Amino acid sequence: MTAEPVFIDFAVRHASTIDTYPAEILARLEADAAVIIARYPSPRSALLPLLHLVQSEEGYISPSGIGFCAEQLGLTPAEVTAVSTFYSMYRRRETGDYLVGVCTNTLCAVMGGDEILADLSEYLGVGPGGTTADGTITLEHIECNAACDYAPVVMVNWEFFDNQTPRSGRDLVDALRSGEQVTPTRGAPLCTFRETARILAGFTDTRPGASDAALPGDATLAGLRIARELDMQAPSVNASGDAAGPDDQQAAAETTADKPAPAPDATAPPRSGSPETTPHGEGV
């Protein structure tokens, strides 16, 4: 039997030619790009903020955005695409006004993250990665929101909503779809996904309270509070800058003992398809 080639499409398939923006949009983006590029000694260092800039225009990294960044920085479209597909914050598909990401990593999952994601998917009628018909909500599964002390956590346009439940998740998306002003657990009032992308590109965040320092909550400080109650302290630092404890010298001696390295294994690995690698002697 002749094996057939297998092709896997990992992203949206676009036209082979690179699109360009209309003249009025292009002029505006070029002015913004000049401000961003001027901040860096090497123009190509501006690629990440430029990707946020073009994402603020269409809600995702479009072929037009790829071509624009390549032209501005003297890169090839392939080089820009390689970067834009590496980072999950750069979207490959059109995104709604609010990107609702539910963490289902270990702790959030244990605390109910999986249930929240499943409930929102059923409630909104879209699976993870889908966008509601009105273009308001894009639902996403997020691997980790880096907020385990407030699990389970939902993020909307990268802002935290802590200690969520399926009920509070539904209330949240209802408020977003009805146009209410929603304020995260920590951070300034929400703006749209495209507005968020422009802020991430490095332009001024004009939301009330956007520059206020966020203070840690009780859950974040619990470990520090316990350490102080028990009078726990970090080990002192020696002259070399390393932490020094009473058993450090003995531990160092044990780990650096003069022991010969193990000899290489003389046994050759089994061949693929041999009885050693094929269960029950079956063929491949």
Side-chain angles (χ1 to χ4, degrees), residues 273-284:
S274 70
E276 297 172 84
T277 60
T278 306
H280 310 298
E282 298 174 1
V284 293

Side-chain angles (χ1 to χ4, degrees), residues 151-239:
V153 173
V154 173
M155 290 191 89
V156 181
N157 295 348
W158 316 119
E159 299 285 3
F160 288 107
F161 289 81
D162 303 322
N163 303 125
Q164 294 297 292
T165 65
R167 178 69 264 174
S168 69
R170 290 193 179 200
D171 291 341
L172 173 59
V173 296
D174 282 345
L176 295 173
R177 300 182 80 179
S178 66
E180 296 180 30
Q181 179 62 71
V182 177
T183 300
T185 309
R186 295 169 277 163
L190 287 178
C191 55
T192 68
F193 180 77
R194 296 187 187 193
E195 291 168 337
T196 302
R198 183 171 176 81
I199 294 169
L200 292 173
F203 293 96
T204 303
D205 187 348
T206 58
R207 293 176 294 170
S211 299
D212 294 347
L215 299 176
D218 289 341
T220 306
L221 297 175
L224 178 61
R225 186 170 57 250
I226 293 172
R228 287 178 174 173
E229 291 173 354
L230 299 177
D231 195 26
M232 301 171 66
Q233 296 181 3
S236 59
V237 178
N238 59 30

Side-chain angles (χ1 to χ4, degrees), residues 26-243:
L26 183 60
R28 172 164 46 80
L29 289 177
E30 285 178 339
D32 289 339
V35 173
I36 294 173
I37 295 172
R39 297 169 179 164
Y40 297 89
S42 173
R44 68 181 300 150
S45 299
L47 178 55
L48 297 184
L50 273 190
L51 286 169
H52 283 298
L53 176 65
V54 297
Q55 184 158 262
S56 74
E57 189 62 38
E58 299 176 272
Y60 75 113
I61 306 298
S62 69
S64 299
I66 293 290
F68 176 83
C69 292
E71 178 69 23
Q72 294 297 307
L73 301 177
L75 302 174
T76 66
E79 289 173 315
V80 176
T81 301
V83 174
S84 69
T85 55
F86 182 83
Y87 296 101
S88 61
M89 290 182 75
Y90 300 124
R91 308 287 300 165
R92 305 187 198 182
R93 295 171 174 81
E94 294 184 32
T95 304
D97 293 331
Y98 299 99
L99 176 63
V100 177
V102 183
C103 180
T104 59
N105 211 331
T106 306
L107 187 55
C108 278
V110 170
M111 300 297 289
D114 287 330
E115 184 181 359
I116 293 172
L117 181 61
D119 186 77
L120 283 178
S121 180
E122 179 182 0
Y123 186 59
L124 295 171
V126 297
T131 301
T132 55
D134 61 5
T136 304
I137 305 289
T138 294
L139 182 65
E140 276 286 305
H141 151 262
I142 293 181
E143 183 63 20
C144 182
N145 281 331
C148 303
D149 41 354
Y150 291 101
V153 173
V154 173
M155 290 191 89
V156 181
N157 295 348
W158 316 119
E159 299 285 3
F160 288 107
F161 289 81
D162 303 322
N163 303 125
Q164 294 297 292
T165 65
R167 178 69 264 174
S168 69
R170 290 193 179 200
D171 291 341
L172 173 59
V173 296
D174 282 345
L176 295 173
R177 300 182 80 179
S178 66
E180 296 180 30
Q181 179 62 71
V182 177
T183 300
T185 309
R186 295 169 277 163
L190 287 178
C191 55
T192 68
F193 180 77
R194 296 187 187 193
E195 291 168 337
T196 302
R198 183 171 176 81
I199 294 169
L200 292 173
F203 293 96
T204 303
D205 187 348
T206 58
R207 293 176 294 170
S211 299
D212 294 347
L215 299 176
D218 289 341
T220 306
L221 297 175
L224 178 61
R225 186 170 57 250
I226 293 172
R228 287 178 174 173
E229 291 173 354
L230 299 177
D231 195 26
M232 301 171 66
Q233 296 181 3
S236 59
V237 178
N238 59 30
S240 66
D242 297 326

Side-chain angles (χ1 to χ4, degrees), residues 242-255:
D242 297 326
D247 299 325
D248 284 356
Q249 189 172 4
Q250 177 64 27
E254 293 176 356
T255 57

